mmCIF file of all heavy atoms in Angstrom:
data_model
loop_
_atom_site.group_PDB
_atom_site.id
_atom_site.type_symbol
_atom_site.label_atom_id
_atom_site.label_comp_id
_atom_site.label_asym_id
_atom_site.label_seq_id
_atom_site.Cartn_x
_atom_site.Cartn_y
_atom_site.Cartn_z
ATOM 1 N N ALA F 17 4.870 0.061 3.008
ATOM 2 C CA ALA F 17 4.463 -0.781 4.129
ATOM 3 C C ALA F 17 4.059 -2.146 3.618
ATOM 4 O O ALA F 17 3.530 -2.291 2.525
ATOM 5 C CB ALA F 17 3.300 -0.145 4.885
ATOM 6 N N LEU F 18 4.323 -3.159 4.421
ATOM 7 C CA LEU F 18 3.920 -4.523 4.105
ATOM 8 C C LEU F 18 3.000 -5.006 5.221
ATOM 9 O O LEU F 18 3.388 -5.018 6.383
ATOM 10 C CB LEU F 18 5.141 -5.440 3.985
ATOM 11 C CG LEU F 18 4.844 -6.897 3.642
ATOM 12 C CD1 LEU F 18 4.230 -6.979 2.254
ATOM 13 C CD2 LEU F 18 6.100 -7.731 3.702
ATOM 14 N N ALA F 19 1.787 -5.357 4.854
ATOM 15 C CA ALA F 19 0.823 -5.818 5.847
ATOM 16 C C ALA F 19 0.126 -7.051 5.307
ATOM 17 O O ALA F 19 0.084 -7.299 4.107
ATOM 18 C CB ALA F 19 -0.201 -4.727 6.157
ATOM 19 N N THR F 20 -0.454 -7.833 6.201
ATOM 20 C CA THR F 20 -1.156 -9.039 5.787
ATOM 21 C C THR F 20 -2.655 -8.820 5.705
ATOM 22 O O THR F 20 -3.373 -9.695 5.270
ATOM 23 C CB THR F 20 -0.866 -10.182 6.781
ATOM 24 O OG1 THR F 20 -1.243 -9.767 8.094
ATOM 25 C CG2 THR F 20 0.611 -10.544 6.759
ATOM 26 N N ALA F 21 -3.141 -7.691 6.120
ATOM 27 C CA ALA F 21 -4.572 -7.430 6.109
ATOM 28 C C ALA F 21 -5.109 -7.495 4.685
ATOM 29 O O ALA F 21 -4.522 -6.953 3.761
ATOM 30 C CB ALA F 21 -4.868 -6.061 6.709
ATOM 31 N N ALA F 22 -6.237 -8.159 4.517
ATOM 32 C CA ALA F 22 -6.959 -8.265 3.251
ATOM 33 C C ALA F 22 -6.194 -9.050 2.191
ATOM 34 O O ALA F 22 -6.556 -9.043 1.036
ATOM 35 C CB ALA F 22 -7.319 -6.882 2.708
ATOM 36 N N LEU F 23 -5.125 -9.737 2.566
ATOM 37 C CA LEU F 23 -4.371 -10.540 1.620
ATOM 38 C C LEU F 23 -4.570 -12.018 1.933
ATOM 39 O O LEU F 23 -4.542 -12.415 3.095
ATOM 40 C CB LEU F 23 -2.874 -10.212 1.695
ATOM 41 C CG LEU F 23 -2.460 -8.803 1.296
ATOM 42 C CD1 LEU F 23 -0.963 -8.634 1.508
ATOM 43 C CD2 LEU F 23 -2.816 -8.531 -0.151
ATOM 44 N N PRO F 24 -4.785 -12.854 0.919
ATOM 45 C CA PRO F 24 -4.882 -14.296 1.181
ATOM 46 C C PRO F 24 -3.529 -14.829 1.650
ATOM 47 O O PRO F 24 -2.506 -14.582 1.030
ATOM 48 C CB PRO F 24 -5.278 -14.871 -0.182
ATOM 49 C CG PRO F 24 -4.790 -13.868 -1.162
ATOM 50 C CD PRO F 24 -4.919 -12.532 -0.493
ATOM 51 N N LEU F 25 -3.517 -15.543 2.750
ATOM 52 C CA LEU F 25 -2.270 -16.048 3.302
ATOM 53 C C LEU F 25 -1.945 -17.413 2.714
ATOM 54 O O LEU F 25 -2.823 -18.261 2.564
ATOM 55 C CB LEU F 25 -2.382 -16.166 4.827
ATOM 56 C CG LEU F 25 -2.599 -14.850 5.575
ATOM 57 C CD1 LEU F 25 -2.758 -15.130 7.065
ATOM 58 C CD2 LEU F 25 -1.448 -13.898 5.345
ATOM 59 N N PRO F 26 -0.690 -17.644 2.370
ATOM 60 C CA PRO F 26 -0.312 -18.945 1.816
ATOM 61 C C PRO F 26 -0.360 -20.027 2.880
ATOM 62 O O PRO F 26 -0.414 -19.747 4.086
ATOM 63 C CB PRO F 26 1.126 -18.710 1.338
ATOM 64 C CG PRO F 26 1.632 -17.598 2.206
ATOM 65 C CD PRO F 26 0.441 -16.723 2.467
ATOM 66 N N ALA F 27 -0.322 -21.265 2.430
ATOM 67 C CA ALA F 27 -0.307 -22.390 3.356
ATOM 68 C C ALA F 27 0.895 -22.276 4.277
ATOM 69 O O ALA F 27 1.988 -21.927 3.864
ATOM 70 C CB ALA F 27 -0.245 -23.700 2.565
ATOM 71 N N GLY F 28 0.679 -22.530 5.538
ATOM 72 C CA GLY F 28 1.760 -22.435 6.507
ATOM 73 C C GLY F 28 1.851 -21.084 7.173
ATOM 74 O O GLY F 28 2.609 -20.913 8.125
ATOM 75 N N ALA F 29 1.074 -20.109 6.649
ATOM 76 C CA ALA F 29 1.109 -18.771 7.245
ATOM 77 C C ALA F 29 -0.240 -18.384 7.825
ATOM 78 O O ALA F 29 -0.479 -17.228 8.123
ATOM 79 C CB ALA F 29 1.536 -17.738 6.193
#
Side-chain angles (χ1 to χ4, degrees):
L18 181 65
T20 57
L23 296 177
L25 297 177

